[in-house]
Amino acid sequence: MLPSTMTNWSAIYPYTPYILLVWLGVFALVALLTGLISIGIRQSLSHLCQRSKALTNSLNSDSELRALFEAMTELIFVKDRQGRYLKIVSANPDLLGQPVEAMLGKTEYDLLARSQADQFVGYIRQALDSQQTVQVEYRLTLADRTVWFAASISPISKDSVLWVARDITEHKQTLEALRASEAQYRDLVETPNCIILRWDVQGKIKFINRYGQTFFGYDDDQLLNCSLVGTLVPNTPRSQRMLSILIRAIRKRPERYRIRTVETIHKTGKTVWVTWANKPIFNEEGELIEVLSIGTDVTERKQAEAALREKEEYLRLVIDNIPQQVFWKDINLVFLGCNKKWAKTAGLDNPEVVVGKTDYDLLPSRDIAELYRQQDARVISRNQAEFHVVETKQKPPVDGQTVWLDVSKIPIHDAQGNVVGVLGVLEDITQRIQVEKQRLQAEADLRAEQQKSERLLLNILPEAIAQQLKQNHSTLGKYHGEALIAEQFDDVTILFADIVGFTPLSSRMPPTELVQLLGTIISTFDLLSEEYGLEKIKTIGDAYMVACGLPLPRFDHTEAIADMALEMQRVITQFRMDTGEAFQLRIGINTGPVIAGVIGMKKFIYDLWGDTVNVASRMESQGTSGGIQVTQATYERLKDQYVLEKRGIIEVKGKGEMLTYWLTGKVHC
């Protein structure tokens, strides 16, 4: 059976030769498109037309024709001059976009946009007017996708054509991808600021990119098929020989010629230096056929190196006679030279030995070498000098002693101000460091002694008084008997304490034990004095004197002395005499004005004078064992917070009768 889309086999049969012609022509078109060739389509169709007629003559039965039509994938239409669809044959109804019945009898204007309908009707009239087959390509949108067709439009009468269309969408997509790939490849080749050159084994240039042509001063394609010698390389007999030697060497050892820096010439004759990365290209038999070379302009670097070498000659006399060690490297951190001092320290026979070496060649550890290279690279990249960096020498001398170096590193510039390397200056400062360490140690020892002396001074004098004496130490010898410090304090509380029975005890105890016992008791009092923030004035034998309210005024000085007195009476009971009995204290307290100061030139102490001091001493001496006797002035300060008992009127030497009180405790709320 014929396909369901074929409405009348007998009607289409007269057109069989044309259909076969188109069918074979389509197959030829597909083959030619696959090879990316579209120019010879008409010639191929003409040739295939003759073959199709012979084939048609051999197909004698309807069954053979029916099988042939069923195998076809093209769309076949018979249209009149107005573009009306008279017949439609298709084995692929999806490419029609709508049912055959909906298209038959319709014109192009009924089915397509007017602009495209005009185009299609134009193709039909061109074929009818010329009575020649018209080959066209067009695209349609079918079910939201774009489909490309290649069509042959052949006249079959004066007013009708046979339109055979084949889906070439996949081929179009392949061509578009190929064009995109070629464009991308072209961009990759033309965009980089480097020379891309391809040359054959005869030394002829097969390709050079636009940047390379511009770099050497040539216009588009002027260099193609030209010899390297005479264009990019000076034309000398030596150049010819060297090119031949290079080609032979690349054949044998291509890896040795991957990177080469050579002198080339500009079209104007100016010398330019280029570093080439060479990639040999071999055929399937392993024969060298071409070389791909990627070139980078290093002319400025070469010029800078030449200028640097000239400067080195001038500076050699200078740097070889200075005490510092000096070296210099290029921008790739390869040594270009050093002075004699540096070479000797590095263990080299002469300065020339270092040229071309790196830190990896000279240092015992790769990590150390990498550290130095990072420092040098930092100076180059930042274009900023680093002065007087103190470090130890990483390659120690034979004796193993630490060597200290003062290191300065400075970027080297060419005439245009570009960084072309780094200069290092090293100075051995080991002796200076050792002297500095000795000085610092001496200063530390001096500070320690000063701190020790200060602690001793603070054990003798109040801190404020000690600070005054230190500030005036330069004038201590100029007072000639005058008081060094003398101050009036209007409101101070004084305490005198005496250990009852200590004097008779001294005749019964060995001196060492006696002093040790007294020292323990006095130290206990000192701790209490420090705890309550009082100022110990002195001890005389077993007598203890303490004050509060000087040299720094304090509003609660009387309460602080009272608390001290009560605590002293408590702690003294912890100490025992040789008889086993607990010690007792007589304590006297008075409040009032005093004179305080430091007198004398040697073994001076901070002392108090005045009637307040004398009365406080009398309160102790005329007290009783275990009692704390206070004056009326002290009583008035303590009466609201402490427990006091009136003793009454007593006769005080030098003062006459005085009313005194016993301090026995503290009021607890």
Side-chain angles (χ1 to χ4, degrees):
M1 292 181 62
L2 290 172
S4 59
T5 55
M6 299 183 64
T7 57
N8 190 338
W9 173 254
S10 60
I12 205 67
Y13 184 78
Y15 308 128
T16 298
Y18 298 102
I19 295 174
L20 293 177
L21 172 64
V22 173
W23 179 67
L24 293 175
V26 169
F27 276 103
L29 178 63
V30 171
L32 292 174
L33 288 176
T34 304
L36 301 181
I37 302 173
S38 60
I39 299 174
I41 293 176
R42 292 182 179 88
Q43 296 176 354
S44 299
L45 288 175
S46 176
H47 173 69
L48 291 173
C49 180
Q50 298 174 2
R51 296 184 60 186
S52 66
K53 291 179 179 180
L55 179 62
T56 302
N57 294 332
S58 66
L59 298 176
N60 298 317
S61 67
D62 288 348
S63 60
E64 291 175 331
L65 290 174
R66 187 179 297 111
L68 180 60
F69 277 108
E70 290 177 350
M72 294 173 61
T73 58
E74 292 76 12
L75 300 176
I76 301 175
F77 310 97
V78 177
K79 303 181 184 180
D80 63 13
R81 180 178 290 271
Q82 286 72 39
R84 180 175 288 101
Y85 289 84
L86 303 177
K87 301 292 181 181
I88 300 176
V89 178
S90 174
N92 189 357
D94 292 338
L95 292 177
L96 294 174
Q98 54 187 303
V100 172
E101 294 77 8
M103 298 176 64
L104 287 174
K106 300 282 184 70
T107 68
E108 303 287 13
Y109 295 96
D110 298 325
L111 303 175
L112 302 174
R114 182 171 186 81
S115 59
Q116 195 160 33
D118 287 341
Q119 188 179 43
F120 280 20
V121 171
Y123 294 153
I124 294 171
R125 292 177 180 177
Q126 180 183 350
L128 290 174
D129 293 343
S130 66
Q131 287 298 300
Q132 297 290 328
T133 300
V134 176
Q135 306 288 345
V136 297
E137 289 185 4
Y138 60 90
R139 63 181 177 182
L140 295 175
T141 301
L142 303 175
D144 297 328
R145 71 184 184 95
T146 299
V147 181
W148 280 88
F149 293 93
S152 295
I153 307 169
S154 303
I156 56 177
S157 70
K158 291 183 179 182
D159 293 314
S160 63
V161 297
L162 183 68
W163 184 304
V164 180
R166 183 176 183 83
D167 181 2
I168 59 169
T169 304
E170 184 176 350
H171 168 68
K172 278 289 186 179
Q173 292 172 343
T174 302
L175 288 178
E176 288 297 325
L178 180 59
R179 280 192 290 269
S181 177
E182 290 176 348
Q184 184 179 25
Y185 170 76
R186 176 61 60 181
D187 288 342
L188 290 174
V189 171
E190 298 296 349
T191 301
N193 291 330
C194 62
I195 306 162
I196 301 178
L197 173 68
R198 201 177 75 244
W199 49 282
D200 62 18
V201 294
Q202 283 76 42
K204 293 187 180 298
I205 299 171
K206 309 308 294 182
F207 173 82
I208 185 168
N209 67 340
R210 186 174 295 109
Y211 176 85
Q213 296 176 42
T214 304
F215 175 79
F216 288 109
Y218 292 90
D219 296 331
D220 290 349
D221 299 333
Q222 281 186 325
L223 290 172
L224 290 183
N225 295 315
C226 295
S227 175
L228 290 172
V229 176
T231 53
L232 308 187
V233 179
N235 189 5
T236 65
R238 184 177 182 275
S239 299
Q240 294 285 0
R241 291 195 305 272
M242 293 303 297
L243 180 60
S244 299
I245 293 172
L246 176 62
I247 292 172
R248 288 198 301 271
I250 290 177
R251 282 193 178 105
K252 294 179 180 179
R253 298 288 298 277
E255 69 280 356
R256 295 184 59 182
Y257 296 89
R258 287 176 181 168
I259 304 295
R260 302 280 288 181
T261 299
V262 299
E263 180 182 359
T264 58
I265 55 174
H266 190 269
K267 184 180 180 181
T268 59
K270 179 180 65 175
T271 298
V272 289
W273 287 87
V274 177
T275 295
W276 296 100
N278 298 310
K279 171 67 175 177
I281 301 173
F282 300 91
N283 61 17
E284 295 180 356
E285 289 73 29
E287 298 175 346
L288 179 68
I289 56 173
E290 287 185 343
V291 177
L292 175 64
S293 300
I294 310 297
T296 303
D297 178 19
V298 293
T299 304
E300 291 186 2
R301 193 192 78 189
K302 279 292 183 178
Q303 293 171 345
E305 291 173 354
L308 184 59
R309 282 193 294 271
E310 293 178 4
K311 292 179 182 178
E312 286 178 5
E313 294 298 326
Y314 179 77
L315 295 173
R316 175 61 64 180
L317 290 176
V318 177
I319 64 174
D320 277 342
N321 291 281
I322 61 176
Q324 288 81 13
Q325 306 170 36
V326 182
F327 69 87
W328 55 97
K329 302 177 181 179
D330 67 13
I331 200 168
N332 296 316
L333 306 181
V334 177
F335 282 99
L336 297 176
C338 67
N339 68 347
K340 291 181 178 179
K341 186 77 172 178
W342 194 93
K344 182 179 179 180
T345 305
L348 304 178
D349 295 335
N350 56 71
E352 287 72 25
V353 176
V354 79
V355 177
K357 295 186 181 297
T358 68
D359 292 299
Y360 298 122
D361 303 317
L362 301 177
L363 292 168
S365 167
R366 186 174 181 85
D367 292 339
I368 296 174
E370 188 61 36
L371 174 64
Y372 284 152
R373 288 174 65 84
Q374 289 176 2
Q375 294 173 354
D376 295 340
R378 182 173 64 244
V379 172
I380 292 173
S381 63
R382 294 179 178 177
N383 191 16
Q384 183 175 353
E386 296 181 357
F387 293 106
H388 304 299
V389 177
V390 177
E391 59 185 41
T392 58
K393 186 176 181 181
Q394 297 296 330
K395 189 177 180 180
V398 178
D399 58 10
Q401 296 295 321
T402 300
V403 176
W404 291 88
L405 300 173
D406 181 306
V407 182
S408 296
K409 293 184 177 180
I410 307 162
I412 302 172
H413 301 90
D414 61 12
Q416 289 73 41
N418 301 311
V419 179
V420 294
V422 61
L423 174 72
V425 180
L426 293 75
E427 183 177 1
D428 188 341
I429 58 171
T430 304
Q431 185 175 1
R432 188 195 310 172
I433 291 290
Q434 291 172 346
V435 171
E436 181 68 12
K437 286 184 176 181
Q438 293 172 359
R439 184 186 67 80
L440 293 176
Q441 184 60 48
E443 290 180 353
D445 294 342
L446 179 60
R447 285 195 298 270
E449 290 299 324
Q450 290 174 339
Q451 291 173 358
K452 187 185 299 183
S453 299
E454 186 170 343
R455 287 194 298 271
L456 291 173
L457 186 62
L458 291 177
N459 281 333
I460 299 172
L461 301 172
E463 182 177 2
I465 301 303
Q467 293 298 332
Q468 291 184 49
L469 286 177
K470 286 195 295 183
Q471 293 171 5
N472 299 328
H473 72 281
S474 60
T475 59
L476 289 179
K478 300 179 182 180
Y479 283 91
H480 303 294
E482 300 177 7
L484 299 176
I485 296 176
E487 296 178 275
Q488 170 79 37
F489 294 94
D490 296 329
D491 196 18
V492 176
T493 300
I494 310 297
L495 177 150
F496 280 92
D498 187 72
I499 303 175
V500 178
F502 194 82
T503 301
L505 178 64
S506 63
S507 63
R508 301 195 303 268
M509 291 185 68
T512 303
E513 295 181 11
L514 182 70
V515 173
Q516 184 176 359
L517 175 61
L518 180 60
T520 303
I521 295 173
I522 297 302
S523 296
T524 302
F525 293 165
D526 288 344
L527 292 174
L528 291 176
S529 176
E530 184 176 352
E531 178 182 348
Y532 289 108
L534 311 180
E535 195 63 54
K536 177 185 176 182
I537 303 303
K538 59 185 175 181
T539 58
I540 303 175
D542 59 342
Y544 192 86
M545 179 182 179
V546 67
C548 189
L550 55 78
L552 299 176
R554 183 173 168 179
F555 73 93
D556 61 342
H557 54 85
T558 307
E559 292 85 346
I561 288 291
D563 291 338
M564 173 76 173
L566 293 171
E567 189 65 16
M568 289 174 71
Q569 290 289 23
R570 185 187 68 79
V571 300
I572 194 62
T573 60
Q574 301 174 6
F575 299 95
R576 301 287 171 175
M577 293 188 289
D578 57 344
T579 61
E581 297 179 12
F583 281 107
Q584 290 186 320
L585 294 175
R586 286 195 309 272
I587 297 177
I589 301 174
N590 187 27
T591 301
V594 299
I595 300 295
V598 178
I599 59 175
M601 296 180 60
K602 295 183 179 180
K603 297 184 179 180
F604 45 79
I605 65 170
Y606 185 69
D607 209 347
L608 309 179
W609 299 273
D611 190 58
T612 301
V613 178
N614 296 332
V615 171
S617 177
R618 294 289 183 269
M619 291 296 100
E620 177 273 314
S621 61
Q622 294 183 233
T624 61
S625 299
I628 303 173
Q629 185 170 221
V630 302
T631 62
Q632 179 73 29
T634 302
Y635 168 80
E636 294 297 333
R637 303 289 185 90
L638 300 177
K639 63 182 180 179
D640 295 329
Q641 303 177 53
Y642 292 84
V643 178
L644 295 118
E645 298 177 4
K646 183 189 291 185
R647 180 180 184 184
I649 303 296
I650 63 171
E651 185 71 23
V652 178
K653 182 180 178 180
K655 295 295 292 182
E657 293 183 346
M658 291 185 67
L659 177 63
T660 65
Y661 296 85
W662 298 112
L663 172 63
T664 61
K666 191 172 185 179
V667 176
H668 297 286
C669 298

